[in-house]
PDB file of all heavy atoms in Angstrom:
ATOM      1  N   GLU A  26       0.859  -1.178   0.000  1.00 98.00           N
ATOM      2  CA  GLU A  26       0.000   0.000   0.000  1.00 98.00           C
ATOM      3  C   GLU A  26       0.898   1.231   0.000  1.00 98.00           C
ATOM      4  O   GLU A  26       1.559   1.531   0.993  1.00 98.00           O
ATOM      5  CB  GLU A  26      -0.926   0.021   1.217  1.00 98.00           C
ATOM      6  CG  GLU A  26      -1.864   1.228   1.210  1.00 98.00           C
ATOM      7  CD  GLU A  26      -2.799   1.282   2.399  1.00 98.00           C
ATOM      8  OE1 GLU A  26      -2.660   0.458   3.331  1.00 98.00           O
ATOM      9  OE2 GLU A  26      -3.676   2.174   2.417  1.00 98.00           O
ATOM     10  N   ILE A  27       0.938   1.908  -1.131  1.00 98.00           N
ATOM     11  CA  ILE A  27       1.803   3.065  -1.324  1.00 98.00           C
ATOM     12  C   ILE A  27       1.072   4.336  -0.884  1.00 98.00           C
ATOM     13  O   ILE A  27      -0.059   4.585  -1.312  1.00 98.00           O
ATOM     14  CB  ILE A  27       2.207   3.192  -2.814  1.00 98.00           C
ATOM     15  CG1 ILE A  27       3.164   2.067  -3.211  1.00 98.00           C
ATOM     16  CG2 ILE A  27       2.803   4.549  -3.119  1.00 98.00           C
ATOM     17  CD1 ILE A  27       4.571   2.235  -2.685  1.00 98.00           C
ATOM     18  N   GLY A  28       1.727   5.133  -0.059  1.00 98.00           N
ATOM     19  CA  GLY A  28       1.182   6.433   0.294  1.00 98.00           C
ATOM     20  C   GLY A  28       1.474   7.426  -0.819  1.00 98.00           C
ATOM     21  O   GLY A  28       2.637   7.728  -1.106  1.00 98.00           O
ATOM     22  N   MET A  29       0.435   7.912  -1.472  1.00 98.00           N
ATOM     23  CA  MET A  29       0.609   8.824  -2.605  1.00 98.00           C
ATOM     24  C   MET A  29       0.661  10.271  -2.108  1.00 98.00           C
ATOM     25  O   MET A  29      -0.189  10.696  -1.319  1.00 98.00           O
ATOM     26  CB  MET A  29      -0.535   8.662  -3.607  1.00 98.00           C
ATOM     27  CG  MET A  29      -0.644   7.271  -4.192  1.00 98.00           C
ATOM     28  SD  MET A  29      -1.864   7.147  -5.547  1.00 98.00           S
ATOM     29  CE  MET A  29      -3.402   7.509  -4.663  1.00 98.00           C
ATOM     30  N   GLN A  30       1.667  10.984  -2.576  1.00 97.00           N
ATOM     31  CA  GLN A  30       1.791  12.411  -2.300  1.00 97.00           C
ATOM     32  C   GLN A  30       2.322  13.088  -3.561  1.00 97.00           C
ATOM     33  O   GLN A  30       3.013  12.455  -4.374  1.00 97.00           O
ATOM     34  CB  GLN A  30       2.768  12.686  -1.151  1.00 97.00           C
ATOM     35  CG  GLN A  30       2.353  12.181   0.199  1.00 97.00           C
ATOM     36  CD  GLN A  30       3.324  12.612   1.279  1.00 97.00           C
ATOM     37  OE1 GLN A  30       3.714  13.778   1.363  1.00 97.00           O
ATOM     38  NE2 GLN A  30       3.734  11.672   2.119  1.00 97.00           N
ATOM     39  N   ALA A  31       2.034  14.363  -3.695  1.00 95.00           N
ATOM     40  CA  ALA A  31       2.590  15.116  -4.821  1.00 95.00           C
ATOM     41  C   ALA A  31       4.112  15.085  -4.740  1.00 95.00           C
ATOM     42  O   ALA A  31       4.694  15.254  -3.671  1.00 95.00           O
ATOM     43  CB  ALA A  31       2.090  16.563  -4.771  1.00 95.00           C
ATOM     44  N   GLY A  32       4.746  14.828  -5.868  1.00 95.00           N
ATOM     45  CA  GLY A  32       6.200  14.819  -5.922  1.00 95.00           C
ATOM     46  C   GLY A  32       6.856  13.504  -5.575  1.00 95.00           C
ATOM     47  O   GLY A  32       8.078  13.375  -5.659  1.00 95.00           O
ATOM     48  N   LEU A  33       6.058  12.489  -5.195  1.00 97.00           N
ATOM     49  CA  LEU A  33       6.643  11.203  -4.798  1.00 97.00           C
ATOM     50  C   LEU A  33       6.480  10.109  -5.850  1.00 97.00           C
ATOM     51  O   LEU A  33       6.893   8.976  -5.616  1.00 97.00           O
ATOM     52  CB  LEU A  33       6.022  10.713  -3.485  1.00 97.00           C
ATOM     53  CG  LEU A  33       6.528  11.354  -2.198  1.00 97.00           C
ATOM     54  CD1 LEU A  33       5.886  10.660  -0.994  1.00 97.00           C
ATOM     55  CD2 LEU A  33       8.046  11.268  -2.082  1.00 97.00           C
ATOM     56  N   ALA A  34       5.893  10.427  -6.981  1.00 98.00           N
ATOM     57  CA  ALA A  34       5.609   9.377  -7.968  1.00 98.00           C
ATOM     58  C   ALA A  34       6.871   8.644  -8.386  1.00 98.00           C
ATOM     59  O   ALA A  34       6.873   7.410  -8.501  1.00 98.00           O
ATOM     60  CB  ALA A  34       4.900   9.964  -9.183  1.00 98.00           C
ATOM     61  N   GLY A  35       7.957   9.362  -8.629  1.00 98.00           N
ATOM     62  CA  GLY A  35       9.196   8.717  -9.062  1.00 98.00           C
ATOM     63  C   GLY A  35       9.743   7.762  -8.022  1.00 98.00           C
ATOM     64  O   GLY A  35      10.113   6.618  -8.335  1.00 98.00           O
ATOM     65  N   LYS A  36       9.818   8.206  -6.773  1.00 98.00           N
ATOM     66  CA  LYS A  36      10.320   7.350  -5.693  1.00 98.00           C
ATOM     67  C   LYS A  36       9.384   6.171  -5.454  1.00 98.00           C
ATOM     68  O   LYS A  36       9.834   5.042  -5.222  1.00 98.00           O
ATOM     69  CB  LYS A  36      10.469   8.161  -4.413  1.00 98.00           C
ATOM     70  CG  LYS A  36      11.611   9.168  -4.436  1.00 98.00           C
ATOM     71  CD  LYS A  36      11.695   9.894  -3.095  1.00 98.00           C
ATOM     72  CE  LYS A  36      12.839  10.890  -3.078  1.00 98.00           C
ATOM     73  NZ  LYS A  36      12.907  11.624  -1.783  1.00 98.00           N
ATOM     74  N   ASN A  37       8.096   6.432  -5.499  1.00 98.00           N
ATOM     75  CA  ASN A  37       7.136   5.339  -5.289  1.00 98.00           C
ATOM     76  C   ASN A  37       7.221   4.304  -6.402  1.00 98.00           C
ATOM     77  O   ASN A  37       7.142   3.098  -6.147  1.00 98.00           O
ATOM     78  CB  ASN A  37       5.718   5.904  -5.195  1.00 98.00           C
ATOM     79  CG  ASN A  37       5.402   6.459  -3.821  1.00 98.00           C
ATOM     80  OD1 ASN A  37       6.032   6.088  -2.828  1.00 98.00           O
ATOM     81  ND2 ASN A  37       4.432   7.352  -3.733  1.00 98.00           N
ATOM     82  N   ARG A  38       7.400   4.761  -7.623  1.00 98.00           N
ATOM     83  CA  ARG A  38       7.514   3.824  -8.740  1.00 98.00           C
ATOM     84  C   ARG A  38       8.764   2.955  -8.593  1.00 98.00           C
ATOM     85  O   ARG A  38       8.709   1.735  -8.820  1.00 98.00           O
ATOM     86  CB  ARG A  38       7.555   4.573 -10.066  1.00 98.00           C
ATOM     87  CG  ARG A  38       7.594   3.626 -11.260  1.00 98.00           C
ATOM     88  CD  ARG A  38       7.332   4.351 -12.560  1.00 98.00           C
ATOM     89  NE  ARG A  38       7.002   3.405 -13.612  1.00 98.00           N
ATOM     90  CZ  ARG A  38       6.273   3.685 -14.679  1.00 98.00           C
ATOM     91  NH1 ARG A  38       5.767   4.898 -14.830  1.00 98.00           N
ATOM     92  NH2 ARG A  38       6.010   2.767 -15.583  1.00 98.00           N
ATOM     93  N   ALA A  39       9.874   3.554  -8.187  1.00 98.00           N
ATOM     94  CA  ALA A  39      11.108   2.786  -8.002  1.00 98.00           C
ATOM     95  C   ALA A  39      10.917   1.726  -6.925  1.00 98.00           C
ATOM     96  O   ALA A  39      11.398   0.586  -7.062  1.00 98.00           O
ATOM     97  CB  ALA A  39      12.251   3.728  -7.635  1.00 98.00           C
ATOM     98  N   PHE A  40      10.203   2.056  -5.862  1.00 98.00           N
ATOM     99  CA  PHE A  40       9.943   1.080  -4.805  1.00 98.00           C
ATOM    100  C   PHE A  40       9.100  -0.071  -5.335  1.00 98.00           C
ATOM    101  O   PHE A  40       9.411  -1.246  -5.105  1.00 98.00           O
ATOM    102  CB  PHE A  40       9.229   1.751  -3.630  1.00 98.00           C
ATOM    103  CG  PHE A  40       9.010   0.833  -2.465  1.00 98.00           C
ATOM    104  CD1 PHE A  40       9.929   0.766  -1.442  1.00 98.00           C
ATOM    105  CD2 PHE A  40       7.881   0.017  -2.394  1.00 98.00           C
ATOM    106  CE1 PHE A  40       9.742  -0.100  -0.364  1.00 98.00           C
ATOM    107  CE2 PHE A  40       7.685  -0.850  -1.339  1.00 98.00           C
ATOM    108  CZ  PHE A  40       8.613  -0.908  -0.310  1.00 98.00           C
ATOM    109  N   VAL A  41       8.035   0.257  -6.034  1.00 98.00           N
ATOM    110  CA  VAL A  41       7.125  -0.754  -6.571  1.00 98.00           C
ATOM    111  C   VAL A  41       7.864  -1.720  -7.502  1.00 98.00           C
ATOM    112  O   VAL A  41       7.560  -2.925  -7.531  1.00 98.00           O
ATOM    113  CB  VAL A  41       5.955  -0.065  -7.313  1.00 98.00           C
ATOM    114  CG1 VAL A  41       5.207  -1.030  -8.212  1.00 98.00           C
ATOM    115  CG2 VAL A  41       5.009   0.581  -6.307  1.00 98.00           C
ATOM    116  N   GLU A  42       8.819  -1.205  -8.234  1.00 98.00           N
ATOM    117  CA  GLU A  42       9.527  -2.025  -9.218  1.00 98.00           C
ATOM    118  C   GLU A  42      10.699  -2.796  -8.623  1.00 98.00           C
ATOM    119  O   GLU A  42      11.366  -3.549  -9.339  1.00 98.00           O
ATOM    120  CB  GLU A  42      10.000  -1.139 -10.371  1.00 98.00           C
ATOM    121  CG  GLU A  42       8.832  -0.571 -11.189  1.00 98.00           C
ATOM    122  CD  GLU A  42       9.261   0.394 -12.289  1.00 98.00           C
ATOM    123  OE1 GLU A  42      10.456   0.785 -12.306  1.00 98.00           O
ATOM    124  OE2 GLU A  42       8.400   0.763 -13.113  1.00 98.00           O
ATOM    125  N   SER A  43      10.928  -2.653  -7.303  1.00 98.00           N
ATOM    126  CA  SER A  43      12.099  -3.287  -6.690  1.00 98.00           C
ATOM    127  C   SER A  43      11.928  -4.785  -6.462  1.00 98.00           C
ATOM    128  O   SER A  43      12.910  -5.526  -6.413  1.00 98.00           O
ATOM    129  CB  SER A  43      12.439  -2.596  -5.363  1.00 98.00           C
ATOM    130  OG  SER A  43      11.381  -2.724  -4.432  1.00 98.00           O
ATOM    131  N   VAL A  44      10.691  -5.245  -6.287  1.00 98.00           N
ATOM    132  CA  VAL A  44      10.391  -6.682  -6.183  1.00 98.00           C
ATOM    133  C   VAL A  44       9.095  -6.943  -6.948  1.00 98.00           C
ATOM    134  O   VAL A  44       8.321  -6.022  -7.195  1.00 98.00           O
ATOM    135  CB  VAL A  44      10.248  -7.147  -4.705  1.00 98.00           C
ATOM    136  CG1 VAL A  44      11.566  -7.063  -3.964  1.00 98.00           C
ATOM    137  CG2 VAL A  44       9.168  -6.375  -3.979  1.00 98.00           C
ATOM    138  N   PRO A  45       8.825  -8.196  -7.306  1.00 98.00           N
ATOM    139  CA  PRO A  45       7.641  -8.479  -8.138  1.00 98.00           C
ATOM    140  C   PRO A  45       6.342  -8.559  -7.341  1.00 98.00           C
ATOM    141  O   PRO A  45       5.734  -9.628  -7.186  1.00 98.00           O
ATOM    142  CB  PRO A  45       7.985  -9.824  -8.786  1.00 98.00           C
ATOM    143  CG  PRO A  45       8.881 -10.502  -7.811  1.00 98.00           C
ATOM    144  CD  PRO A  45       9.694  -9.396  -7.182  1.00 98.00           C
ATOM    145  N   PHE A  46       5.880  -7.427  -6.831  1.00 98.00           N
ATOM    146  CA  PHE A  46       4.620  -7.389  -6.093  1.00 98.00           C
ATOM    147  C   PHE A  46       3.473  -7.923  -6.957  1.00 98.00           C
ATOM    148  O   PHE A  46       3.432  -7.699  -8.161  1.00 98.00           O
ATOM    149  CB  PHE A  46       4.289  -5.953  -5.676  1.00 98.00           C
ATOM    150  CG  PHE A  46       5.174  -5.385  -4.610  1.00 98.00           C
ATOM    151  CD1 PHE A  46       6.119  -4.422  -4.916  1.00 98.00           C
ATOM    152  CD2 PHE A  46       5.063  -5.814  -3.300  1.00 98.00           C
ATOM    153  CE1 PHE A  46       6.943  -3.884  -3.937  1.00 98.00           C
ATOM    154  CE2 PHE A  46       5.874  -5.290  -2.301  1.00 98.00           C
ATOM    155  CZ  PHE A  46       6.817  -4.317  -2.629  1.00 98.00           C
ATOM    156  N   ASP A  47       2.543  -8.600  -6.310  1.00 98.00           N
ATOM    157  CA  ASP A  47       1.341  -9.052  -7.006  1.00 98.00           C
ATOM    158  C   ASP A  47       0.355  -7.920  -7.230  1.00 98.00           C
ATOM    159  O   ASP A  47      -0.408  -7.924  -8.204  1.00 98.00           O
ATOM    160  CB  ASP A  47       0.643 -10.155  -6.192  1.00 98.00           C
ATOM    161  CG  ASP A  47       1.385 -11.474  -6.264  1.00 98.00           C
ATOM    162  OD1 ASP A  47       1.601 -11.974  -7.381  1.00 98.00           O
ATOM    163  OD2 ASP A  47       1.759 -11.987  -5.193  1.00 98.00           O
ATOM    164  N   GLN A  48       0.369  -6.941  -6.325  1.00 98.00           N
ATOM    165  CA  GLN A  48      -0.664  -5.911  -6.343  1.00 98.00           C
ATOM    166  C   GLN A  48      -0.132  -4.643  -5.671  1.00 98.00           C
ATOM    167  O   GLN A  48       0.581  -4.711  -4.669  1.00 98.00           O
ATOM    168  CB  GLN A  48      -1.881  -6.409  -5.577  1.00 98.00           C
ATOM    169  CG  GLN A  48      -2.986  -5.401  -5.370  1.00 98.00           C
ATOM    170  CD  GLN A  48      -4.066  -5.940  -4.474  1.00 98.00           C
ATOM    171  OE1 GLN A  48      -4.885  -6.759  -4.896  1.00 98.00           O
ATOM    172  NE2 GLN A  48      -4.099  -5.521  -3.217  1.00 98.00           N
ATOM    173  N   VAL A  49      -0.504  -3.498  -6.234  1.00 98.00           N
ATOM    174  CA  VAL A  49      -0.101  -2.213  -5.655  1.00 98.00           C
ATOM    175  C   VAL A  49      -1.349  -1.368  -5.394  1.00 98.00           C
ATOM    176  O   VAL A  49      -2.119  -1.088  -6.309  1.00 98.00           O
ATOM    177  CB  VAL A  49       0.867  -1.446  -6.577  1.00 98.00           C
ATOM    178  CG1 VAL A  49       1.246  -0.105  -5.945  1.00 98.00           C
ATOM    179  CG2 VAL A  49       2.115  -2.283  -6.857  1.00 98.00           C
ATOM    180  N   VAL A  50      -1.534  -1.009  -4.128  1.00 98.00           N
ATOM    181  CA  VAL A  50      -2.643  -0.160  -3.707  1.00 98.00           C
ATOM    182  C   VAL A  50      -2.107   1.249  -3.484  1.00 98.00           C
ATOM    183  O   VAL A  50      -1.053   1.419  -2.862  1.00 98.00           O
ATOM    184  CB  VAL A  50      -3.263  -0.688  -2.393  1.00 98.00           C
ATOM    185  CG1 VAL A  50      -4.399   0.211  -1.931  1.00 98.00           C
ATOM    186  CG2 VAL A  50      -3.742  -2.120  -2.564  1.00 98.00           C
ATOM    187  N   GLY A  51      -2.806   2.246  -3.972  1.00 98.00           N
ATOM    188  CA  GLY A  51      -2.437   3.638  -3.730  1.00 98.00           C
ATOM    189  C   GLY A  51      -3.416   4.277  -2.768  1.00 98.00           C
ATOM    190  O   GLY A  51      -4.629   4.070  -2.875  1.00 98.00           O
ATOM    191  N   SER A  52      -2.899   5.064  -1.819  1.00 98.00           N
ATOM    192  CA  SER A  52      -3.737   5.660  -0.780  1.00 98.00           C
ATOM    193  C   SER A  52      -3.329   7.097  -0.498  1.00 98.00           C
ATOM    194  O   SER A  52      -2.181   7.481  -0.720  1.00 98.00           O
ATOM    195  CB  SER A  52      -3.617   4.863   0.529  1.00 98.00           C
ATOM    196  OG  SER A  52      -4.049   3.534   0.365  1.00 98.00           O
ATOM    197  N   ILE A  53      -4.270   7.863   0.026  1.00 98.00           N
ATOM    198  CA  ILE A  53      -3.989   9.183   0.563  1.00 98.00           C
ATOM    199  C   ILE A  53      -4.156   9.107   2.080  1.00 98.00           C
ATOM    200  O   ILE A  53      -5.271   8.950   2.590  1.00 98.00           O
ATOM    201  CB  ILE A  53      -4.959  10.251   0.002  1.00 98.00           C
ATOM    202  CG1 ILE A  53      -4.873  10.323  -1.522  1.00 98.00           C
ATOM    203  CG2 ILE A  53      -4.679  11.614   0.632  1.00 98.00           C
ATOM    204  CD1 ILE A  53      -3.566  10.858  -2.065  1.00 98.00           C
ATOM    205  N   HIS A  54      -3.039   9.170   2.798  1.00 98.00           N
ATOM    206  CA  HIS A  54      -3.052   9.141   4.262  1.00 98.00           C
ATOM    207  C   HIS A  54      -2.652  10.480   4.868  1.00 98.00           C
ATOM    208  O   HIS A  54      -2.830  10.697   6.072  1.00 98.00           O
ATOM    209  CB  HIS A  54      -2.081   8.079   4.786  1.00 98.00           C
ATOM    210  CG  HIS A  54      -2.446   6.678   4.439  1.00 98.00           C
ATOM    211  ND1 HIS A  54      -1.554   5.771   3.901  1.00 98.00           N
ATOM    212  CD2 HIS A  54      -3.621   5.999   4.544  1.00 98.00           C
ATOM    213  CE1 HIS A  54      -2.154   4.612   3.709  1.00 98.00           C
ATOM    214  NE2 HIS A  54      -3.413   4.726   4.083  1.00 98.00           N
ATOM    215  N   THR A  55      -2.059  11.346   4.051  1.00 98.00           N
ATOM    216  CA  THR A  55      -1.582  12.634   4.542  1.00 98.00           C
ATOM    217  C   THR A  55      -2.097  13.745   3.635  1.00 98.00           C
ATOM    218  O   THR A  55      -2.431  13.509   2.473  1.00 98.00           O
ATOM    219  CB  THR A  55      -0.046  12.683   4.574  1.00 98.00           C
ATOM    220  OG1 THR A  55       0.460  12.654   3.234  1.00 98.00           O
ATOM    221  CG2 THR A  55       0.526  11.505   5.353  1.00 98.00           C
ATOM    222  N   LEU A  56      -2.118  14.938   4.178  1.00 97.00           N
ATOM    223  CA  LEU A  56      -2.602  16.083   3.412  1.00 97.00           C
ATOM    224  C   LEU A  56      -1.997  17.347   3.997  1.00 97.00           C
ATOM    225  O   LEU A  56      -2.017  17.540   5.225  1.00 97.00           O
ATOM    226  CB  LEU A  56      -4.133  16.153   3.490  1.00 97.00           C
ATOM    227  CG  LEU A  56      -4.875  16.990   2.453  1.00 97.00           C
ATOM    228  CD1 LEU A  56      -4.607  16.488   1.044  1.00 97.00           C
ATOM    229  CD2 LEU A  56      -6.370  16.977   2.741  1.00 97.00           C
ATOM    230  N   ASP A  57      -1.430  18.152   3.127  1.00 93.00           N
ATOM    231  CA  ASP A  57      -0.911  19.454   3.558  1.00 93.00           C
ATOM    232  C   ASP A  57       0.106  19.309   4.692  1.00 93.00           C
ATOM    233  O   ASP A  57       0.199  20.161   5.581  1.00 93.00           O
ATOM    234  CB  ASP A  57      -2.078  20.344   3.991  1.00 93.00           C
ATOM    235  CG  ASP A  57      -1.748  21.832   3.942  1.00 93.00           C
ATOM    236  OD1 ASP A  57      -0.845  22.197   3.170  1.00 93.00           O
ATOM    237  OD2 ASP A  57      -2.396  22.613   4.664  1.00 93.00           O
ATOM    238  N   GLY A  58       0.864  18.195   4.658  1.00 95.00           N
ATOM    239  CA  GLY A  58       1.886  17.963   5.678  1.00 95.00           C
ATOM    240  C   GLY A  58       1.375  17.407   6.993  1.00 95.00           C
ATOM    241  O   GLY A  58       2.121  17.342   7.981  1.00 95.00           O
ATOM    242  N   PHE A  59       0.133  16.967   7.037  1.00 97.00           N
ATOM    243  CA  PHE A  59      -0.464  16.430   8.260  1.00 97.00           C
ATOM    244  C   PHE A  59      -0.890  14.981   8.044  1.00 97.00           C
ATOM    245  O   PHE A  59      -1.321  14.595   6.956  1.00 97.00           O
ATOM    246  CB  PHE A  59      -1.695  17.246   8.673  1.00 97.00           C
ATOM    247  CG  PHE A  59      -1.391  18.616   9.196  1.00 97.00           C
ATOM    248  CD1 PHE A  59      -1.303  19.693   8.332  1.00 97.00           C
ATOM    249  CD2 PHE A  59      -1.196  18.828  10.554  1.00 97.00           C
ATOM    250  CE1 PHE A  59      -1.035  20.968   8.806  1.00 97.00           C
ATOM    251  CE2 PHE A  59      -0.928  20.101  11.044  1.00 97.00           C
ATOM    252  CZ  PHE A  59      -0.841  21.172  10.168  1.00 97.00           C
ATOM    253  N   ASP A  60      -0.810  14.191   9.107  1.00 97.00           N
ATOM    254  CA  ASP A  60      -1.346  12.837   9.135  1.00 97.00           C
ATOM    255  C   ASP A  60      -2.847  12.942   9.379  1.00 97.00           C
ATOM    256  O   ASP A  60      -3.292  13.499  10.392  1.00 97.00           O
ATOM    257  CB  ASP A  60      -0.661  12.069  10.265  1.00 97.00           C
ATOM    258  CG  ASP A  60      -1.114  10.637  10.405  1.00 97.00           C
ATOM    259  OD1 ASP A  60      -2.068  10.236   9.711  1.00 97.00           O
ATOM    260  OD2 ASP A  60      -0.517   9.904  11.222  1.00 97.00           O
ATOM    261  N   LEU A  61      -3.646  12.402   8.458  1.00 98.00           N
ATOM    262  CA  LEU A  61      -5.104  12.507   8.568  1.00 98.00           C
ATOM    263  C   LEU A  61      -5.682  11.733   9.748  1.00 98.00           C
ATOM    264  O   LEU A  61      -6.851  11.911  10.086  1.00 98.00           O
ATOM    265  CB  LEU A  61      -5.756  12.039   7.263  1.00 98.00           C
ATOM    266  CG  LEU A  61      -5.540  12.957   6.058  1.00 98.00           C
ATOM    267  CD1 LEU A  61      -6.010  12.278   4.780  1.00 98.00           C
ATOM    268  CD2 LEU A  61      -6.269  14.281   6.257  1.00 98.00           C
ATOM    269  N   TYR A  62      -4.870  10.901  10.371  1.00 97.00           N
ATOM    270  CA  TYR A  62      -5.324  10.133  11.532  1.00 97.00           C
ATOM    271  C   TYR A  62      -5.564  11.030  12.746  1.00 97.00           C
ATOM    272  O   TYR A  62      -6.431  10.751  13.578  1.00 97.00           O
ATOM    273  CB  TYR A  62      -4.278   9.071  11.870  1.00 97.00           C
ATOM    274  CG  TYR A  62      -4.602   8.201  13.058  1.00 97.00           C
ATOM    275  CD1 TYR A  62      -5.424   7.088  12.928  1.00 97.00           C
ATOM    276  CD2 TYR A  62      -4.071   8.479  14.325  1.00 97.00           C
ATOM    277  CE1 TYR A  62      -5.715   6.276  14.019  1.00 97.00           C
ATOM    278  CE2 TYR A  62      -4.357   7.675  15.420  1.00 97.00           C
ATOM    279  CZ  TYR A  62      -5.168   6.582  15.255  1.00 97.00           C
ATOM    280  OH  TYR A  62      -5.459   5.780  16.337  1.00 97.00           O
TER     281      TYR A  62
END
């Protein structure tokens, strides 16, 4: 489950491609520098 943020697409893509994951989930857990929890 990848945490999606503006400006992180390149780093997130490199992580996803590092091992042969079966499935990649994208999520928004943070906003404007804050944890939504």
Side-chain angles (χ1 to χ4, degrees):
E26 182 180 7
I27 290 285
M29 300 188 295
Q30 294 185 47
L33 282 185
K36 289 182 179 179
N37 279 338
R38 183 168 196 154
F40 184 93
V41 164
E42 293 176 350
S43 62
V44 293
F46 290 107
D47 286 303
Q48 173 186 284
V49 179
V50 179
S52 299
I53 301 292
H54 295 131
T55 67
L56 198 60
D57 202 24
F59 289 89
D60 180 353
L61 291 170
Y62 180 83

